């Protein structure tokens, strides 16, 4: 396994719709492992393939972050929300591609997601709370959508300018 560099917004790849995965190869299984290692190292609770420059419909996540709680990693190929509750939750979201920036986003409180696991088996599960927020956030990445796209234009522009400055500073370091 290896840690991959995470793209920082603005980057056109983060705004591109990812391609469906037709066949889960050994290379894609390794990519999922690398993404989990990258996510844990960052540290974060979710990561989508476009965030590391791979435009494939693959996300990883693990919201089991409390002390003493065993990790519960998910790797999902071609995930899709097949049901969303009418009830809404507001969570303060962040993103590994928009470091040190957080904002409240309203999303369905519960979702049912269908995906294919790394072994090629179809899966479906219901997610609630932080898990529901995380899986929706990561699936948004596959559609070229960032959490800041839910914000008002002025706030989104301020965050984008902050990220441009951060990228410039990191480029000099």
């Amino acid at each position: 396994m290896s840690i991959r560099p995470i793209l920082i917004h603005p980057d056109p790849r983060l705004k591109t719709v990812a391609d469906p995965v037709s066949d889960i190869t050994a290379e894609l299984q390794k990519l999922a492992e690398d993404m989990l290692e990258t996510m844990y190292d960052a540290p974060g609770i979710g990561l989508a393939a476009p965030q590391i420059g791979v435009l494939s419909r693959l996300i990883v996540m693990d919201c089991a972050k409390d002390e003493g709680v065993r990790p519960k990693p998910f790797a999902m190929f071609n995930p899709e929300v097949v049901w969303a509750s009418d009830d809404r939750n507001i969570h303060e979201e962040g993103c590994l591609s928009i470091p040190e920036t957080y904002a409240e986003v309203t999303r369905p409180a519960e979702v049912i997601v269908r995906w294919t696991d790394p072994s090629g088996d179809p899966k479906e599960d219901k997610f609630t709370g932080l898990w529901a927020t995380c899986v929706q956030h990561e699936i948004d990445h596959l559609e070229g959508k960032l959490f800041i796209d839910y914000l008002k234009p002025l706030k989104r522009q301020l965050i984008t300018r902050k990220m441009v400055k951060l990228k410039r500073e990191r480029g000099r370091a």
Side-chain angles (χ1 to χ4, degrees):
M1 292 198 299
S2 59
I3 294 170
R4 308 272 188 118
I6 298 172
L7 301 178
I8 303 297
H9 168 73
D11 186 297
R13 292 168 287 186
L14 294 172
K15 301 300 284 176
T16 303
V17 175
D19 297 322
V21 173
S22 56
D23 187 31
I24 299 172
T25 61
E27 182 181 322
L28 285 171
Q29 289 169 332
K30 181 183 180 332
L31 174 64
E33 291 173 8
D34 288 354
M35 286 174 59
L36 280 165
E37 185 175 1
T38 301
M39 178 193 76
Y40 288 131
D41 180 70
I45 60 171
L47 186 68
Q51 291 180 271
I52 59 167
V54 177
L55 297 177
S56 295
R57 296 187 78 78
L58 167 62
I59 66 171
V60 298
M61 65 178 201
D62 184 352
C63 297
K65 291 307 217 177
D66 294 331
E67 192 71 32
V69 175
R70 288 179 40 170
K72 191 176 176 185
F74 282 87
M76 301 177 168
F77 292 90
N78 301 319
E80 61 175 321
V81 174
V82 295
W83 174 85
S85 67
D86 291 332
D87 292 340
R88 299 287 186 243
N89 266 353
I90 298 172
H91 272 279
E92 185 175 71
E93 294 189 26
C95 182
L96 296 176
S97 292
I98 307 174
E100 299 172 26
T101 303
Y102 305 91
E104 289 187 340
V105 177
T106 303
R107 297 183 184 271
E110 299 177 347
V111 292
I112 295 176
V113 177
R114 186 178 298 144
W115 72 95
T116 304
D117 75 9
S119 299
D121 296 323
K123 300 286 182 182
E124 186 173 294
D125 206 350
K126 184 176 188 176
F127 295 94
T128 63
L130 180 60
W131 288 90
T133 297
C134 183
V135 75
Q136 292 173 83
H137 175 114
E138 298 310 327
I139 290 172
D140 275 354
H141 276 296
L142 304 180
E143 298 299 330
K145 189 169 190 172
L146 302 172
F147 84 94
I148 61 171
D149 293 331
Y150 291 93
L151 307 178
K152 292 192 163 114
L154 181 59
K155 182 151 184 153
R156 192 168 50 245
Q157 287 173 341
L158 289 171
I159 291 168
T160 298
R161 280 199 287 265
K162 178 180 165 186
M163 291 302 108
V164 168
K165 183 179 176 187
L166 175 70
K167 286 173 78 169
R168 197 174 20 219
E169 289 169 356
R170 285 185 177 182
R172 290 188 198 128

